[in-house]
Amino acid sequence: MKYSFTSESVTEGHPDKLADQISDAILDGVLKEDKDGRVACETLLTRGLAFVAGEITTKAYVDIPAIIRKTVEEAGYIDPSYGFDNETVAVVTGIQEQSPDISMGVDTGGAGDQGMMIGYATNETEEYMPLPIVLAHRLTYELSRLRKERVLPYLRPDGKAQVTVEYEDGKPLHVTGIVIAAQHDPQISLNQIRDDIYNLLIKKRIPENMITTDTRVVINGTGKFTIGGPQADTGLTGRKLMVDTYGGIVPHGGGCFSGKDPTKVDRSATYFARYVAKNMVAAGVADRLELHVSYAIGEARPMAITVKTFGTGRFNDEKIVKAIKQLFDFSPSSIIEYLNLRRPIYKRTAAYGHFGRSEEGFTWERLDRVQEIEKFMEKI
């Protein structure tokens, strides 16, 4: 059976992604001075304004306005003509301490909230990620690199990419559609933008064998993208969940990641679910594995653990769940310690996806339990 699937990525200058980066930069600022700090903060961005609200409990002093301005600068908003820049942005904060009712459950090693967390892995790419989101991230990352290294100096920080892949029997065949939206200087012609983007971006970052004569390419489809970023579109933390995870190919538990310290299972347990799913797929348990974990606030033990293998499992799902429960400790305190999550590692996760990356700090991407899983599954 043939079917197509589409995933999207956005650049670090996209207003929602900039909001995510600010929230995670504040989290990093707290953890750098106080590894036990509690953070749950959201950022809203609009023309000339950054508003941060949430709950922060810490012994450290964090200069939130300075963190915001540095993050805005690093994202490329350094020119007042963009309608939003690091020098003139007004900063408003509304911060309070974490509720003692929540702290009471977290302090004893329980989950900081109830909820459902989902991890996923597939062997269709070397990143153990779905191909559409892998390719979309490659395009947005390269789009930003072309801007920052001034290969295409007319580019501005905001941008998006969308990739459609056709599958047959669960295997990717080729790319059927590519959509690029690249913010640009008003003086550049559309023809130049389209030529540059196709030759310097698409041809370099999409494998040649994946593009056919039928592949549809749309670059700046409206013909103009000069006004972007928070000037054109309000940014908000947690509004790009599919960009952050698996490109929409599996469900999302509901909670976002950015701005949340690791006691929040929305973040830490989702990272651990990815870690478990990736190691299980790498061990040959299944070609695709979707892992669901649910928690109750204040409780250390998950309420439920379930899996789906989409007909690709070498074992039935019941045996796989049994193995996961015996091999992995899903208590929040164990996850935090095992993945070493009380460190200022989070700002880098807030753009180009939280999964499928081998950079330092992405401990949930390690493949260090494969042999143990293989031996265990032989005995079941």
Side-chain angles (χ1 to χ4, degrees):
M1 182 184 74
K2 288 186 178 181
Y3 62 93
S4 295
F5 196 87
T6 303
S7 293
E8 179 191 56
S9 179
V10 299
T11 66
E12 63 209 73
H14 185 281
D16 291 330
K17 270 288 138 227
L18 182 56
D20 285 341
Q21 290 168 88
I22 288 172
S23 293
D24 272 339
I26 293 169
L27 170 60
D28 282 351
V30 170
L31 293 178
K32 185 176 180 181
E33 304 297 330
D34 177 11
K35 67 181 183 64
D36 295 315
R38 303 273 173 82
V39 178
C41 70
E42 284 76 42
T43 302
L44 181 146
L45 304 174
T46 188
R47 181 169 186 154
L49 175 66
F51 182 80
V52 177
E55 298 78 49
I56 298 178
T57 302
T58 180
K59 298 174 288 186
Y61 169 74
V62 178
D63 189 342
I64 290 178
I67 289 174
I68 290 173
R69 294 183 190 282
K70 182 179 180 182
T71 305
V72 169
E73 178 183 7
E74 291 173 345
Y77 289 100
I78 56 176
D79 188 334
S81 69
Y82 294 174
F84 189 90
D85 71 279
N86 62 307
E87 294 286 348
T88 65
V89 61
V91 176
V92 179
T93 61
I95 301 295
Q96 59 185 343
E97 290 190 347
Q98 184 183 72
S99 164
D101 296 345
I102 297 175
S103 298
M104 188 165 50
V106 175
D107 291 342
T108 58
D113 201 355
Q114 67 185 52
M116 301 78 64
M117 293 76 210
I118 295 172
Y120 179 76
T122 172
N123 62 11
E124 70 185 68
T125 65
E126 63 181 17
E127 295 90 350
Y128 290 89
M129 291 285 288
L131 183 60
I133 190 65
V134 168
L135 296 179
H137 283 322
R138 287 181 188 175
L139 291 175
T140 53
Y141 186 87
E142 184 70 5
L143 187 64
S144 285
R145 187 191 70 80
L146 292 172
R147 171 182 60 84
K148 289 186 286 189
E149 296 183 6
R150 300 192 63 78
V151 177
L152 298 179
Y154 59 78
L155 290 177
R156 291 183 175 181
D158 201 352
K160 293 183 177 182
Q162 183 175 290
V163 177
T164 302
V165 175
E166 185 175 58
Y167 287 78
E168 183 171 23
D169 298 329
K171 304 296 182 182
L173 293 178
H174 51 260
V175 173
T176 61
I178 300 169
V179 181
I180 302 289
Q183 188 190 11
H184 59 89
D185 185 280
Q187 278 71 49
I188 302 301
S189 72
L190 179 60
N191 285 337
Q192 182 177 346
I193 293 168
R194 287 176 172 170
D195 286 345
D196 288 344
I197 294 297
Y198 187 80
N199 291 309
L200 297 178
L201 176 64
I202 293 173
K203 288 181 69 175
K204 296 290 181 65
R205 302 307 293 168
I206 303 295
E208 185 178 359
N209 66 329
M210 294 299 293
I211 297 179
T212 73
T213 54
D214 294 325
T215 300
R216 186 181 177 194
V217 177
V218 178
I219 299 170
N220 285 10
T222 66
K224 185 179 179 183
F225 185 13
T226 59
I227 301 172
Q231 179 184 14
D233 185 15
T234 300
L236 190 64
T237 299
R239 205 156 58 178
K240 285 290 177 284
L241 300 181
M242 297 302 106
V243 175
D244 287 339
T245 54
Y246 307 101
I249 209 160
V250 295
H252 190 284
C256 79
F257 308 143
S258 292
K260 295 179 180 178
D261 73 77
T263 66
K264 312 296 189 296
V265 285
D266 280 339
R267 182 166 220 160
S268 55
T270 303
Y271 285 179
F272 197 65
R274 159 64 177 175
Y275 169 75
V276 173
K278 183 177 180 180
N279 275 268
M280 296 296 282
V281 170
V285 172
D287 293 337
R288 298 171 59 200
L289 191 146
E290 180 183 312
L291 174 62
H292 291 230
V293 186
S294 62
Y295 287 87
I297 189 168
E299 295 287 327
R301 189 161 61 94
M303 299 297 292
I305 298 175
T306 59
V307 301
K308 295 180 182 178
T309 55
F310 311 95
T312 70
R314 310 294 190 271
F315 309 86
N316 65 46
D317 291 354
E318 184 179 351
K319 288 184 177 180
I320 294 173
V321 170
K322 179 181 178 182
I324 288 172
K325 287 181 176 180
Q326 292 195 40
L327 290 172
F328 298 96
D329 184 348
F330 280 83
S331 64
S333 59
S334 175
I335 290 172
I336 291 169
E337 180 179 0
Y338 188 76
L339 296 182
N340 196 12
L341 297 179
R342 293 192 186 276
R343 296 181 293 153
I345 58 174
Y346 296 103
K347 180 174 175 288
R348 283 185 297 123
T349 70
Y352 311 114
H354 293 247
F355 306 124
R357 299 167 65 176
S358 58
E359 303 160 46
E360 194 281 327
F362 288 70
T363 52
W364 49 93
E365 293 296 319
R366 297 181 310 210
L367 287 175
D368 56 358
R369 303 290 294 275
V370 174
Q371 291 184 344
E372 182 182 358
I373 293 168
E374 290 172 342
K375 291 179 181 178
F376 187 91
M377 300 307 293
E378 290 175 359
K379 300 176 183 177
I380 290 183

